Amino acid sequence: MAGNGSGGARKPISVLFVCLGNICRSPMAEGVLRSMTKSDTRVATIDSAGTGAYHEGSPPDPRTMSVLEENGENSYDHQARKIRTSDFKDFDYILAMDADNLYELSRVQKRIVKNSGIHAALAKVMMFGDFGGCEGEEVIDPYYGARDGFTIAYEQMTRFSKGFIEQVLQGVDSATPAHAPT
């Protein structure tokens, strides 16, 4: 987890991407940000999960993998998993792909706060699309559509990842905490 910004050097941040089943959008976002930050010491952990357990243990959708491979991201390996309560403590940012997933994540986080009283040490939960220049922009789930939906999702992930790097990572060296309560 990131440092608290109390004067010294900050610890690298951690990011968790979340969609519904964790086989299309969130693993794609994970692959894109990993590729963009592979030698960046400001990032410690990048992972992805789903709000549902529909595909737990499965690899990403073949269309996700083919789009990543077409764009030079050949070393990505992943098995789908469901979001865990511990993720809210282990990650600095939990980034949702759409409003439904954001709602579910916010609901779980509120339950954690209610049950534990811990708030400040929890991840910042928000839409990944907020980093794309249009607040609340969603990544439409390409699962039931044609392959071009995966290409469109990849373009969004690339744009959002660049925005995340510009807006968040450039601030990691400052004295501002990497995450704050939502």
PDB file of all heavy atoms in Angstrom, residues 18-20 25 51 95-107 125-130 135-141 160:
ATOM      1  N   VAL A  18     -11.508  -3.580 -11.995  1.00  0.00           N
ATOM      2  CA  VAL A  18     -12.653  -4.447 -11.730  1.00  0.00           C
ATOM      3  C   VAL A  18     -13.730  -4.287 -12.797  1.00  0.00           C
ATOM      4  O   VAL A  18     -14.143  -3.166 -13.122  1.00  0.00           O
ATOM      5  CB  VAL A  18     -13.259  -4.157 -10.337  1.00  0.00           C
ATOM      6  CG1 VAL A  18     -14.467  -5.057 -10.073  1.00  0.00           C
ATOM      7  CG2 VAL A  18     -12.217  -4.342  -9.243  1.00  0.00           C
ATOM      8  N   CYS A  19     -14.165  -5.444 -13.334  1.00  0.00           N
ATOM      9  CA  CYS A  19     -15.335  -5.500 -14.207  1.00  0.00           C
ATOM     10  C   CYS A  19     -16.246  -6.590 -13.653  1.00  0.00           C
ATOM     11  O   CYS A  19     -16.096  -7.004 -12.498  1.00  0.00           O
ATOM     12  CB  CYS A  19     -14.937  -5.743 -15.666  1.00  0.00           C
ATOM     13  SG  CYS A  19     -14.192  -7.354 -16.010  1.00  0.00           S
ATOM     14  N   LEU A  20     -17.165  -7.096 -14.448  1.00  0.00           N
ATOM     15  CA  LEU A  20     -18.117  -8.081 -13.942  1.00  0.00           C
ATOM     16  C   LEU A  20     -17.493  -9.468 -13.773  1.00  0.00           C
ATOM     17  O   LEU A  20     -17.483 -10.021 -12.679  1.00  0.00           O
ATOM     18  CB  LEU A  20     -19.336  -8.153 -14.866  1.00  0.00           C
ATOM     19  CG  LEU A  20     -20.439  -9.106 -14.440  1.00  0.00           C
ATOM     20  CD1 LEU A  20     -20.991  -8.749 -13.073  1.00  0.00           C
ATOM     21  CD2 LEU A  20     -21.553  -9.109 -15.484  1.00  0.00           C
ATOM     22  N   ARG A  25     -12.713  -6.857 -19.799  1.00  0.00           N
ATOM     23  CA  ARG A  25     -12.274  -5.471 -19.605  1.00  0.00           C
ATOM     24  C   ARG A  25     -11.184  -5.313 -18.556  1.00  0.00           C
ATOM     25  O   ARG A  25     -10.155  -4.679 -18.816  1.00  0.00           O
ATOM     26  CB  ARG A  25     -13.475  -4.595 -19.250  1.00  0.00           C
ATOM     27  CG  ARG A  25     -14.505  -4.530 -20.353  1.00  0.00           C
ATOM     28  CD  ARG A  25     -15.758  -3.834 -19.922  1.00  0.00           C
ATOM     29  NE  ARG A  25     -16.482  -4.654 -18.931  1.00  0.00           N
ATOM     30  CZ  ARG A  25     -17.543  -4.226 -18.256  1.00  0.00           C
ATOM     31  NH1 ARG A  25     -17.983  -3.001 -18.427  1.00  0.00           N
ATOM     32  NH2 ARG A  25     -18.150  -5.023 -17.400  1.00  0.00           N
ATOM     33  N   THR A  51     -16.631  -8.463 -10.040  1.00  0.00           N
ATOM     34  CA  THR A  51     -17.613  -8.387  -8.957  1.00  0.00           C
ATOM     35  C   THR A  51     -18.406  -9.684  -8.873  1.00  0.00           C
ATOM     36  O   THR A  51     -19.028  -9.964  -7.851  1.00  0.00           O
ATOM     37  CB  THR A  51     -18.574  -7.190  -9.146  1.00  0.00           C
ATOM     38  OG1 THR A  51     -19.178  -7.265 -10.435  1.00  0.00           O
ATOM     39  CG2 THR A  51     -17.841  -5.872  -8.972  1.00  0.00           C
ATOM     40  N   LEU A  95     -10.342   0.492  -9.575  1.00  0.00           N
ATOM     41  CA  LEU A  95     -10.915   1.208 -10.705  1.00  0.00           C
ATOM     42  C   LEU A  95     -11.954   0.349 -11.420  1.00  0.00           C
ATOM     43  O   LEU A  95     -11.646  -0.709 -11.970  1.00  0.00           O
ATOM     44  CB  LEU A  95      -9.799   1.625 -11.666  1.00  0.00           C
ATOM     45  CG  LEU A  95      -8.707   2.486 -11.022  1.00  0.00           C
ATOM     46  CD1 LEU A  95      -7.578   2.754 -12.006  1.00  0.00           C
ATOM     47  CD2 LEU A  95      -9.290   3.794 -10.487  1.00  0.00           C
ATOM     48  N   ALA A  96     -13.196   0.828 -11.414  1.00  0.00           N
ATOM     49  CA  ALA A  96     -14.324   0.125 -12.015  1.00  0.00           C
ATOM     50  C   ALA A  96     -14.456   0.462 -13.495  1.00  0.00           C
ATOM     51  O   ALA A  96     -14.166   1.576 -13.922  1.00  0.00           O
ATOM     52  CB  ALA A  96     -15.614   0.498 -11.286  1.00  0.00           C
ATOM     53  N   MET A  97     -14.946  -0.509 -14.254  1.00  0.00           N
ATOM     54  CA  MET A  97     -15.128  -0.328 -15.693  1.00  0.00           C
ATOM     55  C   MET A  97     -16.466   0.326 -16.039  1.00  0.00           C
ATOM     56  O   MET A  97     -16.604   0.903 -17.117  1.00  0.00           O
ATOM     57  CB  MET A  97     -15.040  -1.677 -16.426  1.00  0.00           C
ATOM     58  CG  MET A  97     -13.692  -2.341 -16.305  1.00  0.00           C
ATOM     59  SD  MET A  97     -12.386  -1.406 -17.113  1.00  0.00           S
ATOM     60  CE  MET A  97     -11.238  -1.242 -15.760  1.00  0.00           C
ATOM     61  N   ASP A  98     -17.460   0.222 -15.160  1.00  0.00           N
ATOM     62  CA  ASP A  98     -18.764   0.824 -15.451  1.00  0.00           C
ATOM     63  C   ASP A  98     -19.475   1.181 -14.154  1.00  0.00           C
ATOM     64  O   ASP A  98     -19.013   0.847 -13.057  1.00  0.00           O
ATOM     65  CB  ASP A  98     -19.624  -0.083 -16.339  1.00  0.00           C
ATOM     66  CG  ASP A  98     -19.937  -1.430 -15.716  1.00  0.00           C
ATOM     67  OD1 ASP A  98     -20.128  -1.511 -14.489  1.00  0.00           O
ATOM     68  OD2 ASP A  98     -20.002  -2.416 -16.476  1.00  0.00           O
ATOM     69  N   ALA A  99     -20.606   1.855 -14.288  1.00  0.00           N
ATOM     70  CA  ALA A  99     -21.345   2.345 -13.125  1.00  0.00           C
ATOM     71  C   ALA A  99     -21.880   1.212 -12.259  1.00  0.00           C
ATOM     72  O   ALA A  99     -21.920   1.337 -11.028  1.00  0.00           O
ATOM     73  CB  ALA A  99     -22.486   3.255 -13.569  1.00  0.00           C
ATOM     74  N   ASP A 100     -22.306   0.107 -12.859  1.00  0.00           N
ATOM     75  CA  ASP A 100     -22.810  -1.016 -12.070  1.00  0.00           C
ATOM     76  C   ASP A 100     -21.724  -1.590 -11.169  1.00  0.00           C
ATOM     77  O   ASP A 100     -21.961  -1.892  -9.991  1.00  0.00           O
ATOM     78  CB  ASP A 100     -23.374  -2.121 -12.976  1.00  0.00           C
ATOM     79  CG  ASP A 100     -24.662  -1.707 -13.658  1.00  0.00           C
ATOM     80  OD1 ASP A 100     -25.361  -0.798 -13.160  1.00  0.00           O
ATOM     81  OD2 ASP A 100     -24.978  -2.295 -14.714  1.00  0.00           O
ATOM     82  N   ASN A 101     -20.524  -1.764 -11.710  1.00  0.00           N
ATOM     83  CA  ASN A 101     -19.418  -2.276 -10.912  1.00  0.00           C
ATOM     84  C   ASN A 101     -18.981  -1.257  -9.866  1.00  0.00           C
ATOM     85  O   ASN A 101     -18.637  -1.630  -8.745  1.00  0.00           O
ATOM     86  CB  ASN A 101     -18.253  -2.701 -11.806  1.00  0.00           C
ATOM     87  CG  ASN A 101     -18.585  -3.960 -12.571  1.00  0.00           C
ATOM     88  OD1 ASN A 101     -18.798  -5.018 -11.985  1.00  0.00           O
ATOM     89  ND2 ASN A 101     -18.646  -3.859 -13.886  1.00  0.00           N
ATOM     90  N   LEU A 102     -18.997   0.006 -10.206  1.00  0.00           N
ATOM     91  CA  LEU A 102     -18.665   1.046  -9.231  1.00  0.00           C
ATOM     92  C   LEU A 102     -19.654   1.010  -8.070  1.00  0.00           C
ATOM     93  O   LEU A 102     -19.256   1.092  -6.898  1.00  0.00           O
ATOM     94  CB  LEU A 102     -18.668   2.429  -9.886  1.00  0.00           C
ATOM     95  CG  LEU A 102     -18.342   3.604  -8.964  1.00  0.00           C
ATOM     96  CD1 LEU A 102     -16.922   3.505  -8.427  1.00  0.00           C
ATOM     97  CD2 LEU A 102     -18.549   4.919  -9.703  1.00  0.00           C
ATOM     98  N   TYR A 103     -20.939   0.863  -8.374  1.00  0.00           N
ATOM     99  CA  TYR A 103     -21.958   0.778  -7.335  1.00  0.00           C
ATOM    100  C   TYR A 103     -21.687  -0.408  -6.409  1.00  0.00           C
ATOM    101  O   TYR A 103     -21.723  -0.277  -5.181  1.00  0.00           O
ATOM    102  CB  TYR A 103     -23.354   0.658  -7.968  1.00  0.00           C
ATOM    103  CG  TYR A 103     -24.423   0.388  -6.942  1.00  0.00           C
ATOM    104  CD1 TYR A 103     -24.948   1.426  -6.178  1.00  0.00           C
ATOM    105  CD2 TYR A 103     -24.892  -0.903  -6.723  1.00  0.00           C
ATOM    106  CE1 TYR A 103     -25.914   1.182  -5.208  1.00  0.00           C
ATOM    107  CE2 TYR A 103     -25.855  -1.153  -5.759  1.00  0.00           C
ATOM    108  CZ  TYR A 103     -26.367  -0.115  -5.010  1.00  0.00           C
ATOM    109  OH  TYR A 103     -27.316  -0.377  -4.056  1.00  0.00           O
ATOM    110  N   GLU A 104     -21.409  -1.574  -6.992  1.00  0.00           N
ATOM    111  CA  GLU A 104     -21.154  -2.773  -6.196  1.00  0.00           C
ATOM    112  C   GLU A 104     -19.906  -2.594  -5.322  1.00  0.00           C
ATOM    113  O   GLU A 104     -19.896  -2.957  -4.146  1.00  0.00           O
ATOM    114  CB  GLU A 104     -21.007  -3.992  -7.096  1.00  0.00           C
ATOM    115  CG  GLU A 104     -20.746  -5.281  -6.364  1.00  0.00           C
ATOM    116  CD  GLU A 104     -21.861  -5.714  -5.420  1.00  0.00           C
ATOM    117  OE1 GLU A 104     -23.020  -5.265  -5.596  1.00  0.00           O
ATOM    118  OE2 GLU A 104     -21.576  -6.480  -4.489  1.00  0.00           O
ATOM    119  N   LEU A 105     -18.847  -2.035  -5.886  1.00  0.00           N
ATOM    120  CA  LEU A 105     -17.618  -1.803  -5.122  1.00  0.00           C
ATOM    121  C   LEU A 105     -17.848  -0.817  -3.974  1.00  0.00           C
ATOM    122  O   LEU A 105     -17.360  -1.029  -2.861  1.00  0.00           O
ATOM    123  CB  LEU A 105     -16.511  -1.291  -6.046  1.00  0.00           C
ATOM    124  CG  LEU A 105     -15.989  -2.292  -7.064  1.00  0.00           C
ATOM    125  CD1 LEU A 105     -15.143  -1.578  -8.117  1.00  0.00           C
ATOM    126  CD2 LEU A 105     -15.201  -3.403  -6.387  1.00  0.00           C
ATOM    127  N   SER A 106     -18.589   0.234  -4.254  1.00  0.00           N
ATOM    128  CA  SER A 106     -18.892   1.236  -3.214  1.00  0.00           C
ATOM    129  C   SER A 106     -19.728   0.621  -2.104  1.00  0.00           C
ATOM    130  O   SER A 106     -19.528   0.912  -0.917  1.00  0.00           O
ATOM    131  CB  SER A 106     -19.628   2.428  -3.824  1.00  0.00           C
ATOM    132  OG  SER A 106     -18.805   3.072  -4.759  1.00  0.00           O
ATOM    133  N   ARG A 107     -20.657  -0.242  -2.464  1.00  0.00           N
ATOM    134  CA  ARG A 107     -21.503  -0.933  -1.491  1.00  0.00           C
ATOM    135  C   ARG A 107     -20.642  -1.808  -0.558  1.00  0.00           C
ATOM    136  O   ARG A 107     -20.800  -1.779   0.660  1.00  0.00           O
ATOM    137  CB  ARG A 107     -22.549  -1.771  -2.230  1.00  0.00           C
ATOM    138  CG  ARG A 107     -23.644  -2.326  -1.366  1.00  0.00           C
ATOM    139  CD  ARG A 107     -24.635  -3.140  -2.175  1.00  0.00           C
ATOM    140  NE  ARG A 107     -24.069  -4.357  -2.711  1.00  0.00           N
ATOM    141  CZ  ARG A 107     -23.789  -5.451  -1.996  1.00  0.00           C
ATOM    142  NH1 ARG A 107     -24.021  -5.461  -0.702  1.00  0.00           N
ATOM    143  NH2 ARG A 107     -23.282  -6.515  -2.563  1.00  0.00           N
ATOM    144  N   VAL A 125     -11.922   4.185  -4.530  1.00  0.00           N
ATOM    145  CA  VAL A 125     -12.755   3.472  -5.497  1.00  0.00           C
ATOM    146  C   VAL A 125     -13.351   4.495  -6.454  1.00  0.00           C
ATOM    147  O   VAL A 125     -13.997   5.458  -6.027  1.00  0.00           O
ATOM    148  CB  VAL A 125     -13.877   2.680  -4.781  1.00  0.00           C
ATOM    149  CG1 VAL A 125     -14.800   2.028  -5.788  1.00  0.00           C
ATOM    150  CG2 VAL A 125     -13.277   1.646  -3.835  1.00  0.00           C
ATOM    151  N   MET A 126     -13.118   4.281  -7.746  1.00  0.00           N
ATOM    152  CA  MET A 126     -13.615   5.236  -8.739  1.00  0.00           C
ATOM    153  C   MET A 126     -13.702   4.589 -10.115  1.00  0.00           C
ATOM    154  O   MET A 126     -13.274   3.454 -10.294  1.00  0.00           O
ATOM    155  CB  MET A 126     -12.714   6.471  -8.780  1.00  0.00           C
ATOM    156  CG  MET A 126     -11.254   6.185  -9.097  1.00  0.00           C
ATOM    157  SD  MET A 126     -10.132   7.568  -8.782  1.00  0.00           S
ATOM    158  CE  MET A 126     -10.755   8.813  -9.878  1.00  0.00           C
ATOM    159  N   MET A 127     -14.245   5.321 -11.059  1.00  0.00           N
ATOM    160  CA  MET A 127     -14.338   4.851 -12.435  1.00  0.00           C
ATOM    161  C   MET A 127     -12.988   5.020 -13.126  1.00  0.00           C
ATOM    162  O   MET A 127     -12.374   6.086 -13.043  1.00  0.00           O
ATOM    163  CB  MET A 127     -15.373   5.658 -13.225  1.00  0.00           C
ATOM    164  CG  MET A 127     -16.799   5.442 -12.774  1.00  0.00           C
ATOM    165  SD  MET A 127     -17.500   3.937 -13.425  1.00  0.00           S
ATOM    166  CE  MET A 127     -17.770   4.414 -15.119  1.00  0.00           C
ATOM    167  N   PHE A 128     -12.541   3.985 -13.827  1.00  0.00           N
ATOM    168  CA  PHE A 128     -11.315   4.085 -14.603  1.00  0.00           C
ATOM    169  C   PHE A 128     -11.486   5.156 -15.678  1.00  0.00           C
ATOM    170  O   PHE A 128     -10.563   5.902 -15.985  1.00  0.00           O
ATOM    171  CB  PHE A 128     -10.984   2.728 -15.216  1.00  0.00           C
ATOM    172  CG  PHE A 128      -9.651   2.647 -15.895  1.00  0.00           C
ATOM    173  CD1 PHE A 128      -8.545   3.338 -15.432  1.00  0.00           C
ATOM    174  CD2 PHE A 128      -9.488   1.826 -17.000  1.00  0.00           C
ATOM    175  CE1 PHE A 128      -7.308   3.236 -16.054  1.00  0.00           C
ATOM    176  CE2 PHE A 128      -8.265   1.715 -17.632  1.00  0.00           C
ATOM    177  CZ  PHE A 128      -7.173   2.425 -17.170  1.00  0.00           C
ATOM    178  N   GLY A 129     -12.681   5.258 -16.235  1.00  0.00           N
ATOM    179  CA  GLY A 129     -12.964   6.235 -17.283  1.00  0.00           C
ATOM    180  C   GLY A 129     -12.786   7.675 -16.857  1.00  0.00           C
ATOM    181  O   GLY A 129     -12.658   8.556 -17.714  1.00  0.00           O
ATOM    182  N   ASP A 130     -12.775   7.941 -15.551  1.00  0.00           N
ATOM    183  CA  ASP A 130     -12.550   9.309 -15.079  1.00  0.00           C
ATOM    184  C   ASP A 130     -11.187   9.836 -15.518  1.00  0.00           C
ATOM    185  O   ASP A 130     -10.974  11.044 -15.553  1.00  0.00           O
ATOM    186  CB  ASP A 130     -12.656   9.388 -13.556  1.00  0.00           C
ATOM    187  CG  ASP A 130     -14.084   9.236 -13.053  1.00  0.00           C
ATOM    188  OD1 ASP A 130     -15.029   9.251 -13.869  1.00  0.00           O
ATOM    189  OD2 ASP A 130     -14.251   9.092 -11.822  1.00  0.00           O
ATOM    190  N   GLU A 135     -15.527  12.550 -17.290  1.00  0.00           N
ATOM    191  CA  GLU A 135     -15.898  11.945 -16.013  1.00  0.00           C
ATOM    192  C   GLU A 135     -17.045  10.959 -16.184  1.00  0.00           C
ATOM    193  O   GLU A 135     -18.037  11.245 -16.846  1.00  0.00           O
ATOM    194  CB  GLU A 135     -16.288  13.024 -15.009  1.00  0.00           C
ATOM    195  CG  GLU A 135     -16.519  12.466 -13.623  1.00  0.00           C
ATOM    196  CD  GLU A 135     -16.762  13.552 -12.597  1.00  0.00           C
ATOM    197  OE1 GLU A 135     -16.290  14.686 -12.786  1.00  0.00           O
ATOM    198  OE2 GLU A 135     -17.427  13.244 -11.597  1.00  0.00           O
ATOM    199  N   GLY A 136     -16.873   9.786 -15.586  1.00  0.00           N
ATOM    200  CA  GLY A 136     -17.913   8.761 -15.628  1.00  0.00           C
ATOM    201  C   GLY A 136     -17.955   7.943 -16.904  1.00  0.00           C
ATOM    202  O   GLY A 136     -18.858   7.119 -17.073  1.00  0.00           O
ATOM    203  N   GLU A 137     -16.973   8.124 -17.778  1.00  0.00           N
ATOM    204  CA  GLU A 137     -16.975   7.350 -19.026  1.00  0.00           C
ATOM    205  C   GLU A 137     -16.858   5.859 -18.703  1.00  0.00           C
ATOM    206  O   GLU A 137     -16.034   5.442 -17.899  1.00  0.00           O
ATOM    207  CB  GLU A 137     -15.816   7.776 -19.920  1.00  0.00           C
ATOM    208  CG  GLU A 137     -15.832   7.085 -21.272  1.00  0.00           C
ATOM    209  CD  GLU A 137     -14.752   7.584 -22.222  1.00  0.00           C
ATOM    210  OE1 GLU A 137     -14.084   8.596 -21.921  1.00  0.00           O
ATOM    211  OE2 GLU A 137     -14.598   6.954 -23.275  1.00  0.00           O
ATOM    212  N   GLU A 138     -17.711   5.072 -19.327  1.00  0.00           N
ATOM    213  CA  GLU A 138     -17.739   3.640 -19.086  1.00  0.00           C
ATOM    214  C   GLU A 138     -17.100   2.875 -20.236  1.00  0.00           C
ATOM    215  O   GLU A 138     -17.099   3.332 -21.370  1.00  0.00           O
ATOM    216  CB  GLU A 138     -19.182   3.141 -18.940  1.00  0.00           C
ATOM    217  CG  GLU A 138     -19.896   3.689 -17.742  1.00  0.00           C
ATOM    218  CD  GLU A 138     -21.251   3.027 -17.514  1.00  0.00           C
ATOM    219  OE1 GLU A 138     -21.682   2.184 -18.330  1.00  0.00           O
ATOM    220  OE2 GLU A 138     -21.882   3.349 -16.492  1.00  0.00           O
ATOM    221  N   VAL A 139     -16.577   1.705 -19.904  1.00  0.00           N
ATOM    222  CA  VAL A 139     -16.120   0.773 -20.917  1.00  0.00           C
ATOM    223  C   VAL A 139     -17.259  -0.232 -21.098  1.00  0.00           C
ATOM    224  O   VAL A 139     -17.575  -0.984 -20.174  1.00  0.00           O
ATOM    225  CB  VAL A 139     -14.832   0.036 -20.495  1.00  0.00           C
ATOM    226  CG1 VAL A 139     -14.396  -0.935 -21.587  1.00  0.00           C
ATOM    227  CG2 VAL A 139     -13.728   1.022 -20.175  1.00  0.00           C
ATOM    228  N   ILE A 140     -17.896  -0.192 -22.250  1.00  0.00           N
ATOM    229  CA  ILE A 140     -18.999  -1.105 -22.532  1.00  0.00           C
ATOM    230  C   ILE A 140     -18.451  -2.529 -22.580  1.00  0.00           C
ATOM    231  O   ILE A 140     -17.406  -2.787 -23.161  1.00  0.00           O
ATOM    232  CB  ILE A 140     -19.682  -0.739 -23.867  1.00  0.00           C
ATOM    233  CG1 ILE A 140     -20.186   0.708 -23.847  1.00  0.00           C
ATOM    234  CG2 ILE A 140     -20.819  -1.706 -24.176  1.00  0.00           C
ATOM    235  CD1 ILE A 140     -21.175   1.032 -22.748  1.00  0.00           C
ATOM    236  N   ASP A 141     -19.179  -3.450 -21.970  1.00  0.00           N
ATOM    237  CA  ASP A 141     -18.739  -4.843 -21.915  1.00  0.00           C
ATOM    238  C   ASP A 141     -18.785  -5.448 -23.326  1.00  0.00           C
ATOM    239  O   ASP A 141     -19.853  -5.575 -23.911  1.00  0.00           O
ATOM    240  CB  ASP A 141     -19.638  -5.636 -20.974  1.00  0.00           C
ATOM    241  CG  ASP A 141     -19.087  -6.995 -20.627  1.00  0.00           C
ATOM    242  OD1 ASP A 141     -18.149  -7.460 -21.308  1.00  0.00           O
ATOM    243  OD2 ASP A 141     -19.597  -7.590 -19.660  1.00  0.00           O
ATOM    244  N   PHE A 160      -7.230   5.797 -20.991  1.00  0.00           N
ATOM    245  CA  PHE A 160      -7.423   5.926 -19.547  1.00  0.00           C
ATOM    246  C   PHE A 160      -6.114   5.694 -18.799  1.00  0.00           C
ATOM    247  O   PHE A 160      -5.829   6.374 -17.814  1.00  0.00           O
ATOM    248  CB  PHE A 160      -8.466   4.928 -19.043  1.00  0.00           C
ATOM    249  CG  PHE A 160      -9.845   5.068 -19.645  1.00  0.00           C
ATOM    250  CD1 PHE A 160     -10.766   4.048 -19.483  1.00  0.00           C
ATOM    251  CD2 PHE A 160     -10.233   6.179 -20.372  1.00  0.00           C
ATOM    252  CE1 PHE A 160     -12.041   4.135 -20.010  1.00  0.00           C
ATOM    253  CE2 PHE A 160     -11.504   6.284 -20.921  1.00  0.00           C
ATOM    254  CZ  PHE A 160     -12.410   5.263 -20.728  1.00  0.00           C
TER     255      PHE A 160
END
